[in-house]
Amino acid sequence: MTAPASGSATPAPAGPSIVTVTLNPAIDHTIRLDELVPGTVLRARSSVRQAGGKGVNVAGCLADWRRPEDPPIVATGLVGGSNAATFEDFLASKGIIDRFVRIPGHTRNNIKLLDEAAGDTTDINLPGLTPLPVHMAQLRAVVASETVPGGIVVLSGSLPPGVPANGYVDMLASLKRDGARVILDTAGPPLREALAGPADSMPWAIKPNQEELEDVVGESFSDINHMIRAARSICRRGVGLVVVSRGAEGALYVSERAVLLGLAPVLAVGVSVGAGDALVAGLVAALAEDAEPEHVARLSLAFAAAKLAQIGPHLPNREAVLSRMDAIKIERREVTG
Ligand SMILES: O=P(O)(O)OC[C@H]1O[C@](O)(CO)[C@@H](O)[C@@H]1O
């Protein structure tokens, strides 16, 4: 690092360090169709390929939100060396620090079929590259070197083939030892394993959707109170905040301090791919400011709503995001059970 010239003070960065980790990124190939009719020949209206994967999307949204005085966002994970340029160009264009470990092969292409008639998207997510133990060791070393006490680390997405379902558990434990606040956004066996891990490896926050939370607790929710009780049971395992994304219905925020139901009517319109990642980015942005629970809910839903107008890992400018906040209603629920 260059020493500041004598007499000039280097301003301290305005926020905590933020690192996103994507073990299984993807190049998202979004194909716009008039109507998705399975079993027929379809002509696409347009198609675009963009860097994606959950942590990449989170980093992209945070980079768009970031003020010049904030520390740059760091993105790491595992990326195929043969088509890494898509990620390199994307990260460079947003000023995101690229700490991805290159592994042999091509990063997967995930197909997103955008059905204009139905107003929804069908996702076909491929398995991804299989990393070797040496790649995982390199990645752990990068994550450790980028972690500072009080920093925020986002572990996002599926685990690549060959990585055992408990793949996040060790990472969580060492990140916590290093004093990081970890947000885990994954599903299925990796989420179940992470939540079954030792108390000192519990993430600071998780963001399942309703189905993913039902899968973790092994119950189908009969109503919102049922969902709240399930989220509270996860908090009792040592997770500080459980955010349940609920699509067009908004999100539920459950912590020891508060149970908040965020309702965002604007979430019904737009491209839903990556909206959950934008919500995670909004959580990070709010938590980086040590915001009160209500602001955490409002800002993260504003991120998700703003993302709907974009294809790919982008947010509109800060004012456009902030302008979404007024339409968001927050209901405080009783903490019961
Ligand atoms: O890591 P997963 O669960 O396979 O999901 C990856 C997909 O999810 C997204 O991050 C959207 O949430 C896409 O960019 C990507 O194709």
Side-chain angles (χ1 to χ4, degrees), residues 113-131:
L113 300 174
L114 199 58
D115 179 341
E116 296 280 3
D120 62 19
T121 309
T122 300
D123 291 39
I124 306 174
N125 292 348
L126 276 72
L129 290 170
T130 304

Side-chain angles (χ1 to χ4, degrees), residues 179-205:
R181 297 174 282 175
V182 186
I183 297 179
L184 175 68
D185 180 18
T186 190
L191 180 58
R192 285 203 299 272
E193 289 284 339
L195 296 176
D200 61 0
S201 70
M202 282 303 122
W204 187 48

Side-chain angles (χ1 to χ4, degrees), residues 24 26 28 52-54 57 108 110 112 125 157-158 273-274 277:
N24 204 9
D28 286 340
K54 297 207 173 346
N57 295 342
R108 64 183 171 156
N110 283 350
K112 315 284 160 183
N125 292 348
S158 57
V273 176
D277 303 334

